[in-house]
Amino acid sequence: MGDGGVGRRTFLAAMTGSGAAAVAATEPAAAGTADGGHEEEIRALIGRMTVAEKLGQLQQLSWTGATGPGGSQTAAAEQAARKGELGSVLNIIGARHSNALQRIAVEESRLGIPLVFGLDVIHGFWTTFPIPLAQAAAFDPEVARVDGEVSAKEARSQGVHWTFAPMMDVTHEPRWGRIAESCGEDPYLTAAFAAAKTRGYQGSGPDSLKAKDRVAACAKHFVAYGGAEGGRDYNTVDVSESRLRNLYLPPFKAALDAGCATVMASFNTLSGIPAHANGHTLTEILKEDWEFDGVVVSDWNGVGELLPHGFAADGADAGRIALNAGVDMEMVSTHLAEHGARLLADGRIKEERLDDAVARVLRLKHALGLFADPYVREAQAVPGPTPETRRAAREAAARSMVLLKNEGGVLPIAPGKAVAVVGPFADSRDLHGTWAGPGGEKFPPVTVLHGIRDAAGRGARVTYGVGATKAADVVVVVVGEGVKLSGEAASRSDLGLPEGQEELIRAVAATGVPFVVVLLNGRPLTVGNWVDSASAVLEAWHPGIEGGNAVADVLFGRVNPGGKLPVSFPRTVGQIPVHYNHENTGRPYDPKSPGNTFVTGYLDVDRTPQFPFGYGLSYTTFEIGEPRASVTRIGAAELKRGERLEVEVSVRNTGEVAGDEVVQLYVHDPVASLVQPVRRLRGFERVALGAGESADVRFSLGAEDLGFWTNAVDGRFVVEPGRIELFVGSSSTAGASCTIEVS
Ligand code: GLC
């Protein structure tokens, strides 16, 4: 067994030059803040702009590769830039290209207002990191921050100013293809990752976006996109105010508190009102309650989609509704640019609202330093991954892997064993997952077979192909989903392994040779047909550019896996939705009284998920003690005044090798004026411990952890007197508990 993996502080610190790992600073927002110091200039500039120029600032066109209604708008973009009637372009890549277009806007238009260039840099630009769902499984936001930092440096150097990330849609729907881009089913974990990724992209501090290695981030998709009925992408979301505020909104608030410069509206309706037309969420909550003064950008033709939603009568109506609801910039569709002047003349949009939207766009450009320095240094454009960025991606991938099963000590594979590698993904390059950036094409990943051969070292007996299995000591079966089954518009009604992979597993099982299944997938899968026959199962997700090496690092024990599931694995599709943060119902299933049949659940499947949220094994074992609260009582008023209570718990590595454990803290309010989930994650800490070592983990709980939002539309957060149960453990089924009293 190796050294249990490289210490977190070494690689990540080297990568980011920051010894201190996790984020600390909570400086005020960067780009979206009026105190960016350019308000006077912005007001003066708006005073000189024509209506056409103002409307132009609110227009974003796609440069290439568009598949939607906008298609490739290259020619239109150049023309509009020259007329000073364009605010932004997305999908333009390359320092030279962006400088050429920027030169047209800055040097040929009347006012010379620079363009802002956007791109989906979701988990890597050249260096493809694991998909966000994988990163969430690391239960270590530092992984996301490093991805953001590496991506920003590569992207900005190639002319990108603004990424449409992090995506922070909480979802209970593994059928939904975009679960791959999310951080899973819990708002607290998602919020921690949203804030960390934002800081990775933007840095911290008021002027951080001016740096040539940072990009503006975008909190998306606002809001509740992950609640799509049936897990069908773009589908209806009907949500109560309390669920909106307790489940879907918290990650966005965390991202904005971390200074996130922009927000993207979502395609779905929210209780009958499309998100692109929803003044309650876009204006009342986002811009008034949260005082967000950055840019709200529509999602691809989201303004135009108000027509098929049946909410706008025509393009002019769609533009009017979206602007008045709180959309500031229109991506790809051009309804505001086309109809805005008429709408203004007819008083259907107000000049004050138009100027506010323009001010937000200009503020973002100032925050990025584009007025002062609009061009990118072509000589400093980063050409590709470096050994350091590859190492960071490799470590992130290994840190994100979850050991779901390991019997008979099959893993880690001891040196000298004869290893047969089989399966459609064994030597596949389909490891980047959805939304791989430009690096996805240009820099293919290390395959699993290559990684295993490399790791097994000289003289190892690694064979490839089903024929070699009988002579092997252990078979590694590499299966999963190709990228075509994951991401946007890739929802699945069946979550089994596709294309005969289960048959392959059955054939390997029939040989009687112990085997390990490595899963490369972008969502939870139903594994019940074969999981009992495998000795070990490693969830490796879509692991990115160093995926094959990271899988081998874990299989051969150079890294001891410490990831945990950020999303429950259902036993069957019929069980969905199945998630840990559910309500108890009036008929909960009680394992202690199996005779009681009038309870919630199904006749034909177990009530529990195949694997629960927060679950993951290790090559060592851990013991987590009983939680100890600093107080047994605390006043609701004190909590509201900012008082906090500490919860301490000890964790010990009771095995033979070093490893990481993720200690998790869950709260439950058993009696409240709004029925509460049976558990809510309100603390996690990934702890590295040598064999026999122990540590004390401390959590701090405040009002935000012990209270909840009610159904009041104007937003009321309450902390109610009564008992609160606290659970700590290594998954959402944690049993160790204590109770405190809120008085
Ligand atoms: C897509 C996605 C969004 C992305 C945008 C621009 O449809 O919904 O996440 O940022 O279009 O590519």
Side-chain angles (χ1 to χ4, degrees):
M1 203 10 228
D3 60 1
V6 183
R8 173 155 80 103
R9 300 282 181 271
T10 46
F11 274 169
L12 295 180
M15 216 16 267
T16 61
S18 63
V23 290
T26 53
E27 273 92 6
T33 316
D35 68 14
H38 302 282
E39 294 312 296
E40 264 320 296
E41 289 167 72
I42 289 171
R43 251 193 299 282
L45 180 52
I46 290 176
R48 296 169 51 211
M49 292 169 79
T50 65
V51 169
E53 287 164 336
K54 290 181 181 178
L55 291 167
Q57 280 307 304
L58 309 188
Q59 179 68 65
Q60 180 183 65
L61 294 177
S62 176
W63 185 249
T64 59
T67 51
S72 169
Q73 297 170 314
T74 309
E78 280 179 352
Q79 199 180 6
R82 190 162 283 113
K83 288 167 66 179
E85 293 176 9
L86 185 62
S88 171
V89 170
L90 76 147
N91 293 332
I92 187 166
I93 296 171
R96 206 162 40 80
H97 293 146
S98 65
N99 275 345
L101 183 59
Q102 189 69 292
R103 215 162 276 120
I104 294 175
V106 171
E107 297 170 19
E108 298 185 37
S109 76
R110 184 175 81 89
L111 293 171
I113 298 173
L115 299 168
V116 57
F117 296 127
L119 182 71
D120 292 286
V121 184
I122 309 297
H123 54 105
F125 183 86
W126 293 138
T127 309
T128 308
F129 278 71
I131 53 170
L133 186 63
Q135 294 186 26
F139 274 71
D140 174 8
E142 185 63 3
V143 165
R145 200 187 63 74
V146 170
D147 168 2
E149 190 150 276
V150 169
S151 301
K153 186 170 182 174
E154 294 176 349
R156 188 72 186 258
S157 83
Q158 288 288 353
V160 176
H161 307 125
W162 177 19
T163 176
F164 302 125
M167 184 270 216
M168 49 195 78
D169 301 312
V170 174
T171 187
H172 289 159
E173 262 297 348
R175 291 173 289 186
W176 189 42
R178 301 196 79 164
I179 194 170
E181 295 172 64
S182 83
C183 292
E185 70 192 43
D186 178 78
Y188 183 85
L189 182 68
T190 301
F193 274 74
K197 193 82 178 266
T198 297
R199 289 195 182 97
Y201 286 129
Q202 298 192 166
S204 294
D207 283 337
S208 67
L209 287 186
K210 291 185 168 65
K212 293 298 183 187
D213 60 359
R214 298 292 181 184
V215 292
C218 182
K220 76 182 185 182
H221 304 78
F222 198 74
V223 61
Y225 184 26
E229 283 180 6
R232 290 207 311 273
D233 209 349
Y234 319 116
N235 202 11
T236 305
V237 176
D238 202 82
V239 64
S240 66
E241 190 70 22
S242 59
R243 177 157 291 200
L244 177 68
R245 291 176 180 271
N246 290 310
L247 188 70
Y248 294 112
L249 283 172
F252 288 89
K253 185 66 172 65
L256 296 191
D257 288 348
C260 193
T262 68
V263 170
M264 182 184 286
S266 58
F267 289 127
N268 56 287
T269 55
L270 276 158
S271 309
I273 312 286
H276 279 74
N278 202 308
H280 175 53
T281 46
L282 286 175
T283 296
E284 288 169 2
I285 294 177
L286 180 64
K287 293 183 174 180
E288 292 171 359
D289 292 356
W290 294 357
E291 298 179 350
F292 175 67
D293 53 12
V295 175
V296 173
V297 64
S298 69
D299 194 348
W300 194 275
N301 189 40
V303 174
E305 288 182 7
L306 294 179
L307 278 79
H309 270 302
F311 202 81
D314 53 32
D317 211 18
R320 170 186 66 82
I321 291 168
L323 183 74
N324 290 341
V327 172
D328 300 307
M329 180 179 275
E330 183 173 4
M331 180 191 289
V332 163
S333 57
T334 56
H335 301 300
L336 262 178
E338 282 174 39
H339 305 287
R342 176 88 253 136
L343 292 167
L344 191 63
D346 296 350
R348 297 168 72 202
I349 60 175
K350 300 279 180 276
E351 183 151 41
E352 185 194 359
R353 173 65 192 108
L354 175 60
D355 289 355
D356 167 60
V358 174
R360 291 166 183 269
V361 174
L362 298 180
R363 196 172 292 139
L364 173 64
K365 294 179 177 181
H366 270 296
L368 284 159
L370 297 181
F371 281 93
D373 184 1
Y375 303 112
V376 65
R377 312 260 187 287
E378 294 175 34
Q380 292 165 15
V382 174
T386 65
E388 290 73 29
T389 63
R390 280 183 172 273
R391 205 166 36 222
R394 176 170 178 167
E395 190 195 350
R399 231 171 141 68
S400 305
M401 292 181 190
V402 184
L403 182 62
L404 297 177
K405 181 179 180 184
N406 186 26
E407 285 172 358
V410 165
L411 292 180
I413 300 173
K417 291 274 185 188
V419 182
V421 187
V422 303
F425 287 84
D427 204 24
S428 160
R429 292 187 156 185
D430 195 348
L431 272 60
H432 281 321
T434 187
W435 289 110
E441 294 301 318
K442 204 169 172 195
F443 300 101
V446 174
T447 71
V448 173
L449 178 64
H450 179 96
I452 288 176
R453 282 193 167 130
D454 219 27
R458 307 290 146 254
R461 289 174 291 151
V462 177
T463 54
Y464 173 42
V466 183
T469 49
K470 285 200 177 56
D473 298 319
V474 60
V475 182
V476 177
V477 187
V478 191
V479 289
E481 289 177 317
V483 69
K484 288 192 173 58
L485 297 180
S486 181
E488 183 169 357
S491 300
R492 292 180 65 197
S493 70
D494 173 350
L495 300 185
L497 282 171
E499 293 136 19
Q501 294 177 38
E502 292 193 3
E503 286 73 5
L504 168 67
I505 292 174
R506 269 196 282 283
V508 171
T511 65
V513 178
F515 67 95
V516 180
V517 173
V518 175
L519 290 174
L520 299 175
N521 48 309
R523 59 159 53 83
L525 297 175
T526 49
V527 302
N529 292 344
W530 53 265
V531 69
D532 293 343
S533 64
S535 302
V537 181
L538 178 67
E539 175 54 77
W541 313 104
H542 286 139
I545 191 168
E546 284 289 324
N549 284 330
V551 168
D553 286 344
V554 172
L555 291 180
F556 290 91
R558 218 178 342 197
V559 172
N560 182 355
K564 301 285 185 179
L565 292 181
V567 61
S568 307
F569 273 47
R571 294 177 187 278
T572 66
V573 170
Q575 211 181 21
I576 296 169
V578 58
H579 46 89
Y580 92 92
N581 41 6
H582 60 82
E583 295 180 3
N584 203 27
T585 80
R587 295 287 181 96
Y589 170 70
D590 176 0
K592 291 190 289 295
S593 60
N596 178 1
T597 53
F598 293 89
V599 293
T600 185
Y602 299 96
L603 293 175
D604 52 0
V605 74
D606 190 291
R607 282 155 181 87
T608 58
Q610 185 82 46
F611 298 113
F613 175 88
Y615 169 85
L617 301 176
S618 169
Y619 293 151
T620 183
T621 50
F622 294 94
E623 209 166 75
I624 296 175
E626 298 295 319
R628 305 178 293 277
S630 54
V631 292
T632 53
R633 283 172 70 85
I634 186 165
E638 287 165 278
L639 282 165
K640 281 193 174 167
R641 275 201 307 275
E643 289 276 303
R644 302 183 73 78
L645 72 107
E646 315 302 323
V647 179
E648 188 175 87
V649 65
S650 60
V651 53
R652 197 158 72 84
N653 179 340
T654 51
E656 308 298 314
V657 294
D660 289 7
E661 177 59 289
V662 178
V663 182
Q664 301 156 49
L665 170 74
Y666 296 86
V667 304
H668 175 227
D669 186 341
V671 179
S673 62
L674 189 79
V675 170
Q676 291 300 297
V678 292
R679 301 220 168 163
R680 289 193 302 139
L681 179 74
R682 296 308 299 182
F684 62 88
E685 172 77 22
R686 181 164 176 160
V687 187
L689 292 171
E693 276 184 0
S694 61
D696 283 338
V697 177
R698 278 175 201 78
F699 299 106
S700 164
L701 295 177
E704 72 282 6
D705 303 304
L706 304 177
F708 52 87
W709 293 93
T710 70
N711 274 313
V713 172
D714 56 355
R716 273 188 66 244
F717 187 85
V718 296
V719 180
E720 297 182 335
R723 274 182 320 116
I724 298 280
E725 296 162 343
L726 305 175
F727 300 88
V728 293
S730 58
S731 87
S732 56
T733 61
S737 67
C738 68
T739 301
I740 62 153
E741 185 79 23
V742 175
S743 56

